[in-house]
């Protein structure tokens, strides 16, 4: 197998492992992966407009409406009027302590395992890995924007 094919397979496996992990975390909270992603963004922002949530997650504002409905019903979010714009709403995080209590051990364990794994590499090797991952993220963002704009993916 060529080096390129191995990288592509590993990239696909990495993406699948990341998605599977996040879907499992979401199920721990009793929600979908999209809901969990929104909750994570909202937890970081503490308060956001639906448009900000859509932009930060890559979801449509229509999808955000349904997700906020479900987060609100579960007690994790609350809609309130936007004092700066009567036409818009703000979404505020609720129960951040409960969220931290559930997610803290999960992400703490992941962080410890990743720290242990990365300890096997020299600083120089880690710099190459960091550069590769950063460039991969950049490529994914560009390709995502091309798809959103109706562009066609390159044939490889």
């Amino acid at each position: 197998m060529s080096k390129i094919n191995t990288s592509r397979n590993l990239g696909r496996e990495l993406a699948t492992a990341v998605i599977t992990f996040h879907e499992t975390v979401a199920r721990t909270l009793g929600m979908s992966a999209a809901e969990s992603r929104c909750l994570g963004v909202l937890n970081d922002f503490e308060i956001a407009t639906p448009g900000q949530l859509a932009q930060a997650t890559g979801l449509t504002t229509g999808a955000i409406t349904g997700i906020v409905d479900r987060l609100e019903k579960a007690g994790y979010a609350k809609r309130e009027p936007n004092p700066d714009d009567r036409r818009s709403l703000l979404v505020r995080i609720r129960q951040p302590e409960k969220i931290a209590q559930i997610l803290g051990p999960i992400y703490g364990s992941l962080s410890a395992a990743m720290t242990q794994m990365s300890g096997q590499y020299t600083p120089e090797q880690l710099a190459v890995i960091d550069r590769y991952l950063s460039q991969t993220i950049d490529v994914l963002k560009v390709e995502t924007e091309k798809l959103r704009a109706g562009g066609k993916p390159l044939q490889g």
Side-chain angles (χ1 to χ4, degrees):
M1 185 176 284
S2 76
K3 181 178 178 182
I4 291 173
N5 286 337
T6 301
S7 290
R8 287 183 183 158
N9 291 338
L10 286 174
R12 190 175 305 122
E13 286 184 46
L14 174 62
T16 299
V18 168
I19 290 166
T20 301
F21 177 80
H22 285 287
E23 286 176 345
T24 304
V25 169
R27 279 194 300 277
T28 300
L29 289 168
M31 58 183 64
S32 72
E35 292 163 353
S36 177
R37 188 165 74 221
C38 255
L39 182 63
V41 168
L42 187 56
N43 197 39
D44 289 343
F45 287 176
E46 295 181 10
I47 191 165
T49 66
Q52 289 169 321
L53 292 174
Q55 185 175 19
T57 61
L59 298 168
T60 66
T61 53
I64 293 296
T65 298
I67 288 170
V68 172
D69 286 345
R70 292 185 294 279
L71 291 178
E72 200 168 32
K73 184 177 178 182
Y76 291 121
K78 179 182 177 186
R79 285 183 176 96
E80 53 190 53
N82 185 341
D84 297 327
D85 182 353
R86 292 186 316 172
R87 296 168 296 160
S88 91
L89 293 170
L90 296 175
V91 182
R92 183 180 299 277
I93 191 76
R94 292 187 62 216
Q95 303 186 62
E97 302 83 15
K98 179 180 177 183
I99 296 165
Q101 186 178 31
I102 295 168
L103 296 181
I106 294 169
Y107 286 106
S109 177
L110 176 63
S111 179
M114 293 300 294
T115 298
Q116 182 179 7
M117 184 265 304
S118 66
Q120 301 172 44
Y121 299 95
T122 66
E124 294 79 17
Q125 290 170 322
L126 288 172
V128 171
I129 293 167
D130 286 350
R131 189 169 58 250
Y132 177 81
L133 291 174
S134 292
Q135 291 172 346
T136 298
I137 291 165
D138 292 342
V139 166
L140 286 167
K141 287 179 179 179
V142 167
E143 292 299 310
T144 299
E145 286 307 312
K146 281 195 321 196
L147 288 171
R148 283 187 181 144
K152 298 197 181 215
L154 295 175
Q155 297 300 316

